[in-house]
Amino acid sequence: PAGNWSSYPPHKHDEEKDGETALEEIYYFETQLAEGMPAPESGGTDPMGYQRVYASDDRPIDVSAEVRSGDVVLVPYGWHGPAMATPGYDLYYLNVMAGPGRVREWLISDDPHHGWIRRTWDESAVDPRLPFGR
């Protein structure tokens, strides 16, 4: 929903090791004016969101992409997240994963600087807007 983050904490799946698989990821985005938001008085809207990707090893990658409906972000490797819905605009994404790994499981490693956040979820209330849909 508008004003929220997803795909967080930043994580990766770019190595074949215990607890992680080497899989590339593709994010396809759709954006829209959030439900209940008033239409602007002049002109249309330009719904947008953001996607972040950054290096997890010696391979350089640094993406802070502004995304709109129909945009795609390829994550060949590295830490990625969050996908950010800007205030006033809902953000949807479909992510697809594939790669050379022997194991076809979504096994990830969290960025050690931010992975602690995942441990707080058990005590957190579920956002009443979820599951998200109309």
Side-chain angles (χ1 to χ4, degrees):
N4 283 269
W5 294 14
S6 180
S7 195
Y8 196 80
H11 59 279
K12 71 180 186 79
H13 34 79
D14 59 10
E15 294 181 76
E16 286 295 323
K17 65 180 188 179
D18 189 35
E20 185 177 330
T21 54
L23 298 170
E24 293 184 355
E25 189 165 8
I26 298 170
Y27 284 77
Y28 168 82
F29 292 94
E30 290 287 333
T31 57
Q32 70 177 20
L33 185 66
E35 185 175 350
M37 291 299 295
E41 293 179 18
S42 62
T45 62
D46 188 19
M48 64 181 180
Y50 291 90
Q51 174 70 31
R52 179 77 174 118
V53 183
Y54 58 98
S56 61
D57 54 25
D58 291 334
R59 296 173 290 177
I61 190 167
D62 187 4
V63 177
S64 292
E66 188 172 287
V67 296
R68 290 175 169 76
S69 286
D71 285 347
V72 172
V73 173
L74 171 64
V75 181
Y77 54 85
W79 305 112
H80 50 286
M84 297 165 268
T86 57
Y89 302 116
D90 292 333
L91 177 71
Y92 302 86
Y93 63 84
L94 171 67
N95 56 325
V96 178
M97 299 176 60
R102 295 177 295 107
V103 178
R104 297 287 191 222
E105 291 181 64
W106 190 55
L107 301 176
I108 65 168
S109 295
D110 287 334
D111 181 330
H113 295 103
H114 308 290
W116 64 270
I117 293 167
R118 188 178 304 278
R119 294 186 299 274
T120 68
W121 293 349
D122 289 340
E123 294 83 38
S124 299
V126 174
D127 186 321
R129 297 173 295 179
L130 299 174
F132 191 50
R134 293 182 194 232

